[in-house]
Structure formats: structure tokens, C-alpha cells
Amino acid sequence: MVCCNRRCGLIAGAVIGAAVAILGGILIPVGNNVIQGTVEKEAVIEPGTTAYDNWVAAGAKVYRQFWFFDLKNPLEVLQYGAIPVVVERGPYTYWTRYLPKENITFHPNHTASFLLPFGAIFEPSMSVGSEEDKITTLNLAVAGAYSLVPKLFHGMLEKLITSSNSSLFQHRSVKELLWGYTDPMLKTLVGLFAPYNGTYDGYYNVYTGKDDISKVGRIDMWRGERYPIYFFSSDICRSVSASFEESKDLKGIEVYRYALQPNTLASPTVNPDNQCYCRNIEVTKNCTLAGVLDIGSCQEGRPIYISLPHFLHGSPYLRKAVLGLNPSEEHHATFMDVEPTTGFTLRFAKRIQVNMMYGPSKVITVLKKVKDYTIFPLAWLNETASVDDETADMFKKELISRIQMLDIIQKALLGIGVAVFILCLTSYCVVVRRNKTLV
């Protein structure tokens, strides 16, 4: 009777162990589905979700840091056609993206439209100097007029330049160069980002992810036009794609780093998708120049060329035409760090350089010594943000810790169940064998 009870107990223990192991195994897909469902629910852009609160107004502070290229030999360039030599100065830092989105409207097709207000507040503690620091750089009005005014009328442009006492280069404050000044030749506001404060970017129309979470945040339209968008930047009027680079640790959170694909700024001979950014055969050396994109078509025809800082990944010619540039993958690459479970971007750095073109002229005095078309670097910006410690701790507590706890429970149940099952089954076999031996 005792042996029977012992065998029955061991059988029951083995059954219970198997049941616990099965429960642990079941919890793996069930738990993952529960987590996935919770994540997807909170990732949808609609009032009441975590994603919506961070989407309306950026949770982390977004800063724009500017580095300017200070020209050291303007007289030599003007008088002898010397190669420009520049020295980088910066950063000059501004707090941006502090204003919430406006005119948010949800549509039946699971999209939402909005306007993104622009604003910039100077941050002295994160800058090397004040906004009044002076920079010697290209005269934006003269360089712009050189391209916009047909060569047939360059004689008239020469008179305008002379009468306004303008030159190819100018000495302006950081504040003026960024946000605008009244140009003596054009008699209008001129600046790299003028006007900015009090203006808007958009309309944007983005998918909310309500019907398909894989589309959440994807831009459907910008200013009424559609693009095949993965990572869109209104600064360069185009979309670019990014590829996985490596896994990184961000304040104890695993993130996947995505960086711009190498062919993003390749010449049209390598990447045909960039053909539309080659508008001037002479400047781009018959469209073989890599590392710069002509975005004049969305800048009212002005000779604006966009590149990575210091012409990173650009043709060697660009750094021979302007001396003093030192590209670095570490300091000048663009990237974003994405948490893989939620798809939230927890850190990013968007680095873009703004350049303008000028070239030789037989009519315009300040350009008579210029030997070739030059893409001159004006400034480069780093727009960056990273999750703060408080948000990172909340993120780890609300999501990561729950995932880890569920994983521990799953493995514990599976391990205990298997151990109990094996122990009871082994013990049962020993008891049965011993009883047979006694008989």
C-alpha cells in the first residue's frame, strides 16, 4: 500500500511538473502576444496613448548646434584667386522643437495632419560664444544673385554690387547669418534660415498606425505632395533611407542604430535616384560630383547645396577647392537609435551642411579672379535629442522590466517543471525497479 502511494505520488509529481513546464512554454508566445498587443496599443498616434503625448510635443529637448566656417583669406581670394581657407567655429546652440504641433486633425483614413511651428532659443551654456560673434563668410546675396540673374544681365548685377558697396564675402554676426539681416543690395531679409521664429513647417499628413502599426508615424504627404518616405527631412526637401548599423546601449536600454545608406549622397552615375539633384553640369563636373545635392528647386532657385559636414563621403575635389575641412564619421554622420520592441526613436543626430555656389565671371568685378566653380561651406548643423534619465527609468520600469520579469517567470516555470518531471519520473522508475528486485 505504501509503495502504491509512493508510486502514485511520483506519477502525480511528474504530471504536475509536466503541466508547469507546459505552462511555462505556453506563456512564451502568450506573453509575447500580450506585450506586443500592449506596445502596439500605446504606439498608436491617438489621444490617450503614450505615443500621442510624445508626438504632440517632443518629450526630450531637441537642440540645434551650428558650426560656421570662418574664412581666413578673403582678400587673397578676391585679389589673386587663391583657394579659400576656412576654420570651423562653434557650436552655437539653440533649443528648438519646444512648441507643440498645431492644427492637429484626424482623418477617416487613419492619418493625422498638423503644422510644425518653428522656434529657436539661444543656449549660452552650450555655446562657445555669443550670438554677436562675427564670422567672415560668403555674401549670400551676391552668391545667390550670381546664379539667379542670367549672364546676359550680369552687367546690371555688377552695378548693384558696386553701388551697394557689396563684395563676394562679408563679416556678419552668428545671429544675423542664421535668422536674417537686411541686405544692402537686395534691401530685403537674408539669412540661412530666415524667416524662422513664428513660421511653420508643413502641412504634414502622417499615418496614425490605428489600422496598421507598421505604418505609424510614416509621412503620407508633405505640403500636399507624396514621397516614398522612410526618413524625411524638410531641411533638404527630400526623403532618405537608413540601414541597420549595430546594437547599442542607451542608459541601460538596448537600441538599434540606423545610419544613412552610403549611396544617399552618391553621384547620379552611382545612384540614378539623385539625377534630379544635378541641375548644373558645369558645377557638378558632368554630374560626377559625389557628396552634395543641389536643392535649389525647393529654395526658390538659389544655389543651395546640401552635404554631410565637412563634405563627408564627398568627392576629393570638394575639399581641394576649399581648404581646412576634416570629415569624421564619428562627428559628422547622421543616425537614429531605435528601441526595437516599441519602435520608438530614443536618440538621434541629424547632421547637415549648408553650402552655396559661386563661380568665375568676366563682368562682375568681385568674381573676375575666381578660377572655377566653388561650392563654399557656410555652416553645418547638428539637430540632436536623447531620452533623459527620468524618461529612460520610466521606460525601463514600465516596459523593459515587465518584459524581463515575464521572461524570468517563463524560464523559471519551464525549468522547475522540467526538473520536477524528470526527478519524479526518475524516482518512479527507481521505485518500480526496486520493487521488482524484492519480488
Side-chain angles (χ1 to χ4, degrees), residues 161-232:
I161 293 173
T162 304
S163 63
S164 61
N165 198 30
S166 298
S167 185
L168 180 60
F169 303 108
Q170 60 179 343
H171 199 56
R172 293 277 180 186
S173 70
V174 167
K175 186 176 182 179
E176 288 177 315
L177 290 172
L178 289 176
W179 315 122
Y181 57 91
T182 301
D183 181 76
M185 184 179 77
L186 299 180
K187 310 296 184 186
T188 188
L189 187 69
V190 175
L192 294 179
F193 298 95
Y196 193 79
N197 285 332
T199 63
Y200 295 86
D201 188 19
Y203 268 99
Y204 283 89
N205 198 63
V206 303
Y207 290 99
T208 64
K210 184 71 174 179
D211 61 330
D212 182 355
I213 197 63
S214 67
K215 295 163 63 176
V216 64
R218 186 185 302 172
I219 298 174
D220 173 45
M221 289 189 294
W222 179 64
R223 296 182 181 177
E225 297 185 26
R226 282 189 167 87
Y227 297 83
I229 291 172
Y230 178 76
F231 177 47
F232 180 77

Side-chain angles (χ1 to χ4, degrees), residues 284-314:
T284 61
K285 311 301 178 187
N286 200 26
C287 295
T288 62
L289 203 61
V292 292
L293 297 177
D294 179 354
I295 62 167
S297 58
C298 72
Q299 294 290 330
E300 300 176 347
R302 288 171 291 184
I304 302 293
Y305 289 78
I306 292 297
S307 69
L308 293 178
H310 289 246
F311 295 126
L312 177 66
H313 301 160

Side-chain angles (χ1 to χ4, degrees), residues 69-249:
F69 294 99
D70 194 20
L71 181 65
K72 308 314 294 182
N73 61 338
L75 292 179
E76 289 84 350
V77 175
L78 288 171
Q79 296 176 1
Y80 309 111
I83 297 175
V85 178
V86 297
V87 173
E88 180 184 273
R89 291 178 59 185
Y92 296 90
T93 306
Y94 292 80
W95 177 25
T96 59
R97 303 286 183 92
Y98 57 89
L99 297 170
K101 295 176 173 66
E102 296 183 11
N103 293 4
I104 298 174
T105 305
F106 289 90
H107 305 289
N109 65 341
H110 303 297
T111 63
S113 58
F114 62 90
L115 280 172
L116 186 63
F118 283 143
I121 300 173
F122 186 61
E123 293 282 357
S125 64
M126 300 174 67
S127 304
V128 297
S130 76
E131 288 184 293
E132 303 308 320
D133 287 357
K134 295 294 182 67
I135 306 292
T136 300
T137 187
L138 190 64
N139 189 317
L140 307 182
V142 172
Y146 169 76
S147 292
L148 290 172
V149 176
K151 288 186 178 181
L152 181 64
F153 301 105
H154 273 192
M156 297 175 58
L157 178 57
E158 163 67 7
K159 292 180 180 179
L160 277 175
I161 293 173
T162 304
S163 63
S164 61
N165 198 30
S166 298
S167 185
L168 180 60
F169 303 108
Q170 60 179 343
H171 199 56
R172 293 277 180 186
S173 70
V174 167
K175 186 176 182 179
E176 288 177 315
L177 290 172
L178 289 176
W179 315 122
Y181 57 91
T182 301
D183 181 76
M185 184 179 77
L186 299 180
K187 310 296 184 186
T188 188
L189 187 69
V190 175
L192 294 179
F193 298 95
Y196 193 79
N197 285 332
T199 63
Y200 295 86
D201 188 19
Y203 268 99
Y204 283 89
N205 198 63
V206 303
Y207 290 99
T208 64
K210 184 71 174 179
D211 61 330
D212 182 355
I213 197 63
S214 67
K215 295 163 63 176
V216 64
R218 186 185 302 172
I219 298 174
D220 173 45
M221 289 189 294
W222 179 64
R223 296 182 181 177
E225 297 185 26
R226 282 189 167 87
Y227 297 83
I229 291 172
Y230 178 76
F231 177 47
F232 180 77
S233 172
S234 61
D235 293 308
I236 61 175
C237 310
R238 69 166 289 180
S239 58
V240 294
S241 56
S243 56
F244 174 78
E245 196 171 73
E246 60 181 324
S247 177
K248 283 187 167 290
D249 180 271

